[in-house]
Each structure stands twice: as C-alpha cells, then as structure tokens.
Amino acid sequence: MPRAATSDEPQRSEKWKARRNEIVDTSARVFARGGYHATGIVELCAANGLGKGAFYHYIESKEELLAAIHDRVMDEVMVGADRVSQASGSPSAQLAMLGDELLDVIHRYPDHVWVFLHEFPALTAERAQQFRVRRRQYEQRVEAVLQAGIDSGEFRAVDPRLTALAWLGMHNYTYLWLKPGGRVSARDAAKPFADIFIRGIAT
Amino acid sequence: MPRAATSDEPQRSEKWKARRNEIVDTSARVFARGGYHATGIVELCAANGLGKGAFYHYIESKEELLAAIHDRVMDEVMVGADRVSQASGSPSAQLAMLGDELLDVIHRYPDHVWVFLHEFPALTAERAQQFRVRRRQYEQRVEAVLQAGIDSGEFRAVDPRLTALAWLGMHNYTYLWLKPGGRVSARDAAKPFADIFIRGIAT
DNA sequence: GTCTATAAAAAGATAGAC
DNA sequence: GTCTATCTTTTTATAGAC
C-alpha cells in the first residue's frame, strides 16, 4: 500500500503523477535490459524523451527512481496476497491462489520484477531495510498457509520455512521467461506449478 | 570444462595461475556484496592487497574477471551433471542426484553463483552468448531426465520444459540463503526438495 | 611483479535561461 | 516544464619508474 505523503513533500498535479508513473515504467524496462548501474541518466532521459532538467523535475535521484520500481512490485504482490487472505479456502486452495496472484504480477511487470530481484543491493541501507521487512512479510504469508495445511492434516510435516523458500524459488524464477505476449500465460504456468507442489507436500 | 589455451595467450607460471585464482575468488566475494558495476577497480585492488599495476598483471580487464567467475560456476555445475550421467540410476534417483550436485555447488560457491545469477547482462555480447549456450546445455540435461521418467512411466505426463524450469527455480533460488557455515547444509535442503518434487510429478 | 602518477572518458546532479 | 551548459567526482585503464 502507498504510504501517506509527509508534509515536506510538495503537492503535485495529477498530470505530474501520471507522467512520473510513465517514467518509472519506462525506466524499469531500460534497467531490466542493461542493469541499474550500467544505465546512465542520459540513457534514461533519451528513453523517456526528456532532457536532464525535465527528467529531474520528476525524480529526486536515480536511486529514488529505483526505489519507486521496488515499491510498485511490493505493492502489487501484497495486494494479491490480501485478495487470497480474504477469499478464504482450504490451505491447498490458498496456496494455488497465491501462486496465481504471484505469477500474474510477474507476468504483468516482468521488467519491474527483474529490477526488484537484481538491483536490491543498489538501494541505500535505509531503503533496503524497508523492503527487506515487506519481503519478509510476504514470505510469512506463504509459511502461514503451509503451517495451516500441516495443522489441518492436509500437508505432511514439512519444514514450513524451507518449503516456503522452495515454493518462492519455483515461482519467482519465472521472471526469466514469463513475459506479456509470450507463449505461456501466468495461468498456464501457475496450474502445473500448483499441481506439482501440492502433490509434493500432500499427506 | 576449461577450454584449450589459444596460441596468442602468453605462457604463465603455476604461481601466477594460483594467485590469479585467488584474485578471481576474492573478487567474486566483493562483487557479491556490492554488485559488479558498483564495485570499482580500486576496491578490488584493496580487497586483494594489490596496487592497480599488479592487479592488471593478473587480469585483462574487469569484464574478463567477471567472465572468469562465470566460468568457474559453469565448470563446477557441468562436472556435477556429468557425475550424475555416469552414475546411471532411475530417473527419480538421477533427478535427486542432480539436485544434490547443484546445491553442493551453490553451497560451496555462493558468491560466484550470486554473480552468475545477477551480473550476466554485464558481459559483452560475445561472452554472454557463450554462457547462454552452456546454460541451455545444463537445462537440457534436466529436461532429458524428466523425459526419461515420463517415458518409463515413473513420472506423469508433465511438460518437460516447464517442469525443468520449476525444478531449476526451486534449486537456484537457494543462492539467497544457502551459505557455507549456515544453519542448513546442501544435503539438508536437497533431500526435502527432491521429496517434494519427485512426489509432485510421480504417477 | 609491484608501485605511483596520470590520462581520458563518463558518471550523477545542479544552475540558470527561456 | 523543458532546455543547454557546467560542476564535481569517479570511473577503467595505461605509462613508466623501480
């Protein structure tokens, strides 16, 4: 969820916000192609059709732009996780839904996710810590579903942490090949993944 | 496997080679901490206890050093895959062995693997292509084992490519937390991972 | 084989005109 | 809101002494 604006942040027009969002998305694509540090400000300006002056009118710094991309990913992922929580179903059904939602985000935002999974160390210590916390929160959602399944006897007595990491790896790794317009849709991958994983831990 | 030296490469002493290997390993650790582009030559020199002049006596360029780290990872991974091929067992046993070998490499070379999985785009086009080919060869080993299991009736009729990608994701993702001296050993993770995956695709 | 000094280019960010 | 020109720092790599 977006945080409330603090009082020292200037008021911005809707037009400004829309243009900024465009810049964030376009820049994510450029970063995903060449890497964060390898991409210069000049290159970002060219991709966005702006000069340096105009560019810095929309972003505070290159690193703040990177944080905005991270924000987009975590926001989307958490929205998906919340939808699953509210749906309420068996642990198996919830795990399958979590996979659907996660792959949907990866499919819709492949560039943002690439940046999220690669350029985390480029964030300042303070911002890195903020995203570590949010990431951990998501992981705990997955662990909680696994634990619920173990408690209900639906899943065998696997290690929830280790199993959550296996599940996350299997799903997160799709960022390398799951693209909009690609041969495989999010659902095409999510269904067989859920089949494998849920059979794999079923009693 | 290491490629044969071409005639235009100068002869090097054993001492030179040993020192160079140390430099490659130490530099991998530094890259894994801060990222390839964010790490300067001066920083690498300091970590290796050398001045610039001496440093460039052992490496051709920063990018050539990066390629050496990639080489180390692919060499080790392929050696493991070859061991599995020669062992010959049921597809289930082979898949479990592949997982053992892969996690063993990730456990022994966490920094090199980090660099391998993050800094691939920093390689020149030519070298990137070379590693793309070797990576694809490894993926095909995994697909071949899956196909063998389907043919023998041991595994159900899953999509070999999609299933190989799921398997790779589950295992590769361990680079984030599988470290020498850590709470979990390579075997500790490989066993439950194989249990989940093989049950997941069994008939 | 290792050092110091330096070159040459590129980086992120800002100033001030319009 | 957008531009061009510029500042300051840092980058990778080389030269040449020892």
Side-chain angles (χ1 to χ4, degrees), chain B residues 63-140:
Chain B
E63 198 258 344
E64 185 264 336
L65 173 60
L66 178 63
I69 296 168
H70 276 73
D71 258 325
R72 179 49 130 327
V73 173
M74 276 314 307
D75 287 351
E76 293 280 338
V77 166
M78 282 315 241
V79 163
D82 286 341
R83 243 194 307 269
V84 173
S85 296
Q86 280 157 18
S88 79
S90 70
S92 296
Q94 288 209 344
L95 196 61
M97 273 188 280
L98 272 178
D100 268 352
E101 294 282 356
L102 182 54
L103 293 201
D104 186 51
V105 174
I106 294 171
H107 184 256
R108 281 185 298 127
Y109 296 94
D111 298 325
H112 299 68
V113 170
W114 191 97
V115 173
F116 181 82
L117 291 176
H118 278 77
E119 305 295 2
F120 180 81
L123 293 166
T124 58
E126 192 180 60
R127 276 201 255 249
Q129 183 55 25
Q130 176 197 322
F131 286 111
R132 239 189 299 272
V133 169
R134 297 176 78 188
R135 196 162 165 163
R136 187 84 192 85
Q137 285 170 350
Y138 180 76
E139 291 173 6
Q140 283 171 340

Side-chain angles (χ1 to χ4, degrees), chain A residues 39-41 52 56 61-62:
Chain A
T39 304
I41 294 287
K52 280 189 177 182
Y56 275 102
S61 68
K62 192 184 172 188

Side-chain angles (χ1 to χ4, degrees), chain A:
Chain A
M1 61 212 86
R3 281 145 300 119
T6 52
S7 53
D8 58 333
E9 282 171 8
Q11 285 285 341
R12 303 295 193 178
S13 70
E14 287 307 312
K15 198 170 175 181
W16 183 93
K17 289 179 190 170
R19 187 78 181 95
R20 175 177 152 99
N21 276 337
E22 279 177 30
I23 290 169
V24 171
D25 292 344
T26 298
S27 301
R29 204 172 62 232
V30 182
F31 285 149
R33 273 194 173 276
Y36 173 73
H37 281 106
T39 304
I41 294 287
V42 174
E43 210 173 327
L44 293 172
C45 288
N48 285 289
L50 292 171
K52 280 189 177 182
F55 190 70
Y56 275 102
H57 179 66
Y58 293 102
I59 66 156
E60 286 168 35
S61 68
K62 192 184 172 188
E63 198 259 343
E64 185 264 335
L65 173 61
L66 178 62
I69 296 169
H70 276 73
D71 258 325
R72 180 47 132 328
V73 174
M74 276 315 307
D75 288 351
E76 292 281 337
V77 166
M78 282 314 240
V79 164
D82 286 342
R83 244 194 308 269
V84 173
S85 295
Q86 280 157 18
S88 78
S90 69
S92 296
Q94 288 210 344
L95 196 61
M97 272 189 280
L98 273 178
D100 268 353
E101 295 282 356
L102 182 54
L103 293 201
D104 186 51
V105 174
I106 294 171
H107 184 256
R108 282 185 297 127
Y109 296 95
D111 298 325
H112 299 67
V113 171
W114 191 97
V115 174
F116 181 83
L117 291 176
H118 279 76
E119 306 294 1
F120 180 81
L123 293 166
T124 57
E126 191 179 61
R127 276 201 254 250
Q129 183 54 25
Q130 176 197 322
F131 286 111
R132 240 189 299 272
V133 169
R134 297 177 76 187
R135 197 164 164 162
R136 187 84 192 86
Q137 284 170 352
Y138 181 76
E139 291 173 5
Q140 283 170 341
R141 298 282 189 108
V142 179
E143 288 174 42
V145 171
L146 291 171
Q147 188 62 56
I150 296 166
D151 293 344
S152 76
E154 205 171 331
F155 302 151
R156 53 196 176 81
V158 293
D159 179 315
R161 175 78 183 138
L162 199 64
T163 307
L165 289 168
W167 185 92
L168 283 164
M170 192 162 135
H171 287 81
N172 277 344
Y173 202 66
T174 60
Y175 81 99
L176 286 174
W177 49 270
L178 193 62
K179 311 277 178 186
R183 194 175 58 84
V184 180
S185 75
R187 200 77 224 300
D188 288 342
K191 183 74 174 58
F193 278 25
D195 279 348
I196 292 172
F197 210 90
I198 291 167
R199 285 168 189 252
I201 60 174
T203 41

Side-chain angles (χ1 to χ4, degrees), chain B residues 114-187:
Chain B
W114 191 97
V115 173
F116 181 82
L117 291 176
H118 278 77
E119 305 295 2
F120 180 81
L123 293 166
T124 58
E126 192 180 60
R127 276 201 255 249
Q129 183 55 25
Q130 176 197 322
F131 286 111
R132 239 189 299 272
V133 169
R134 297 176 78 188
R135 196 162 165 163
R136 187 84 192 85
Q137 285 170 350
Y138 180 76
E139 291 173 6
Q140 283 171 340
R141 298 280 189 108
V142 179
E143 287 173 44
V145 171
L146 291 172
Q147 188 61 58
I150 296 165
D151 292 343
S152 76
E154 205 170 330
F155 301 151
R156 53 196 176 81
V158 293
D159 179 314
R161 175 78 183 137
L162 198 64
T163 308
L165 289 168
W167 185 90
L168 283 164
M170 192 162 133
H171 287 81
N172 277 344
Y173 202 66
T174 60
Y175 81 99
L176 287 174
W177 50 270
L178 193 62
K179 310 278 178 187
R183 194 175 57 86
V184 180
S185 75
R187 201 75 225 299

